[in-house]
Amino acid sequence: MVDKKIGMTLTRHIYEGEREHPDATGELTGILNQIALASKIVSREVSKAGLAQILGFTGRENVQGENVRKLDVFANDVFVAAFNHLGHFCIMLSEEVPEPIEIPERYSGGQYAICFDPLDGSSNIDANVSVGSIFGIYHKISPGQGGTKEDLLQPGRALAAAGYVVYGSSTMLVMSAGHGVHGFTLDPSVGEFLESHHNIRIPERGTIYSANEGNYPYWSEAVRGYISYVKQPDSASGRPYSSRYIGSMVADVHRTLLYGGIFMYPADTKNLAKPHGKLRLLYECAPMAYLIEQAGGAASTGTGPVLDVVPTEIHQRVPFFAGSRENVEELESFIARYDDARTGKAVGSSNE
Ligand code: AHG
Ligand code: MN
Ligand code: MN
């Protein structure tokens, strides 16, 4: 008897997941397959990014006389084109587009809404550093045909599925539909995402911290206190922690998911520009928080779970601290302690 099985593809994983849930309509399968297709197209372009100058594509037009689009605009166009005629969505939100993207009426009867960051970390492209795409999928809640902002302004807790694609040394799609987090690596030779990471669990505690420390002077006293703490030697808790910061959220969160530790983008007061941090709730923080929680970790605004934030604006930002549960709880305890200090309650030591 031949007892060999070929690798588990993303398609089969999604299909088998839906088969286990008899009430599933198959729509999520169609959506995730379409995301996989779009991300393969983006992956192909990202891998050619460094060739643009060599081939003389530096101007506004390439050799065929076509306009050369920036990669984040290209990625946006690919995702929009992949989604808007699918029939599974009622409305979409992209980082690249100021207003919600309506679906042509004929195809707008879908029962899902999607928020996405088509290309995350795009400032890293020219240095050949990993970039990514992020998506979060909600059930439609508005009445009638088509979607409204109501379908987008839902807390992360209501997500039906979320994921990201990291375009790195390999292209990898990491997703969850509420039953753990699974990772699939693109095998370019067969053009398929093959399951490479089954049921990813983030370590309970890690010894890596990840932040743009150039913003240190503009952080709150509590965040600065926490950063001083992680740098203080203490062999029992593995301090000082190692510092790693790529500057692509997808890549930084991916590493955090696999190795543990804490990734953060706190609020800062630099030019009063980022009182709520930099990262966007709907297509950056909520999907990543969903994955991190599904993997057993925690994601916080500093004062509570990111997934509980009820959005009021489609492009709103939130402070973001995510990673190993114990590390995030420790950070939250610093914030609570300093908040206590401000409100005149009992003050603990800030740098134990
Ligand atoms: P995007 O490329 O989608 O605009 O996002 C960039 C984000 C995110 O990827 C990263 O974590 C953060 O910007 C880095 O910001 P700093 O350069 O301020 O550290
Ligand atoms: Mn981004
Ligand atoms: Mn982006």
Side-chain angles (χ1 to χ4, degrees):
M1 191 175 89
V2 181
D3 186 22
K4 274 192 180 159
K5 81 171 185 189
I6 201 152
M8 172 75 98
T9 62
L10 173 66
T11 313
R12 194 172 130 207
H13 172 93
I14 300 163
Y15 177 67
E16 291 189 359
E18 285 219 337
R19 239 186 6 199
E20 280 171 27
H21 300 91
D23 50 329
T25 58
E27 282 190 284
L28 216 46
T29 306
I31 289 170
L32 289 163
N33 276 329
Q34 203 68 357
I35 290 172
L37 172 64
S39 62
K40 284 184 222 174
I41 296 170
V42 174
S43 175
R44 187 190 63 196
E45 283 316 292
V46 167
S47 68
K48 289 193 299 191
L51 293 170
Q53 277 152 19
I54 296 168
L55 299 176
F57 294 170
T58 46
R60 299 292 303 158
E61 292 191 344
N62 66 17
V63 285
Q64 283 89 30
E66 298 160 344
N67 278 337
V68 178
R69 285 170 294 175
K70 281 176 65 190
L71 262 177
D72 41 13
V73 178
F74 172 84
N76 181 64
D77 292 351
V78 169
F79 280 102
V80 169
F83 298 150
N84 67 0
H85 285 60
L86 198 56
H88 297 325
F89 291 120
C90 58
I91 197 146
M92 307 188 276
L93 173 67
S94 166
E95 185 202 8
E96 296 294 326
V97 185
E99 288 300 318
I101 305 167
E102 290 182 6
I103 307 283
E105 198 179 342
R106 217 175 131 197
Y107 303 97
S108 67
Q111 293 305 303
Y112 290 93
I114 188 164
C115 304
F116 57 94
D117 179 352
L119 201 68
D120 172 75
S122 45
S123 68
N124 277 323
I125 283 270
D126 290 342
N128 203 0
V129 172
S130 297
V131 292
S133 304
I134 310 171
F135 61 90
I137 299 164
Y138 291 95
H139 293 284
K140 169 180 160 72
I141 53 172
S142 66
Q145 170 95 8
T148 67
K149 272 191 185 170
E150 192 187 345
D151 300 306
L152 302 167
L153 294 174
Q154 300 192 55
R157 206 57 82 192
L159 279 162
Y164 61 79
V165 182
V166 57
Y167 311 105
S169 44
S170 297
T171 293
M172 199 174 154
L173 189 153
V174 175
M175 53 78 65
S176 177
H179 307 284
V181 180
H182 309 285
F184 303 82
T185 301
L186 180 64
D187 180 341
S189 66
V190 291
E192 277 280 8
F193 282 102
L194 302 176
E195 187 177 61
S196 50
H197 297 65
H198 182 73
N199 198 21
I200 299 172
R201 304 297 296 169
I202 187 168
E204 285 284 290
R205 170 175 280 280
T207 52
I208 299 174
Y209 74 101
S210 183
N212 182 345
E213 240 177 303
N215 292 327
Y216 184 95
Y218 309 106
W219 289 336
S220 69
E221 215 183 333
V223 173
R224 280 186 281 155
Y226 176 76
I227 293 296
S228 304
Y229 163 81
V230 302
K231 293 201 273 197
Q232 248 170 36
D234 173 56
S235 53
S237 57
R239 288 179 288 144
Y241 292 170
S242 288
S243 167
R244 296 283 185 276
Y245 188 70
I246 297 167
S248 284
M249 182 197 203
V250 169
D252 281 312
V253 169
H254 185 60
R255 182 202 55 248
T256 305
L257 200 58
L258 297 180
Y259 297 171
I262 185 164
F263 165 77
M264 63 180 80
Y265 208 109
D268 70 56
T269 56
K270 196 175 182 179
N271 306 321
L272 292 176
K274 291 181 261 167
H276 305 290
K278 177 181 184 185
L279 300 176
R280 317 288 185 135
L281 176 59
L282 282 173
Y283 40 79
E284 292 181 319
C285 300
M288 292 309 206
Y290 180 82
L291 293 168
I292 293 264
E293 279 205 12
Q294 278 287 321
S300 172
T301 60
T303 54
V306 170
L307 293 182
D308 289 340
V309 178
V310 180
T312 52
E313 304 284 334
I314 51 176
H315 293 288
Q316 101 184 49
R317 303 170 198 266
V318 284
F320 188 69
F321 304 88
S324 296
R325 198 178 44 77
E326 289 182 15
N327 298 65
V328 174
E329 283 172 4
E330 205 164 49
L331 174 277
E332 281 181 327
S333 77
F334 268 80
I335 291 183
R337 200 178 306 164
Y338 279 87
D339 278 343
D340 284 354
R342 269 200 296 278
T343 54
K345 288 190 213 146
V347 185
S349 156
S350 63
N351 57 356
E352 65 201 0

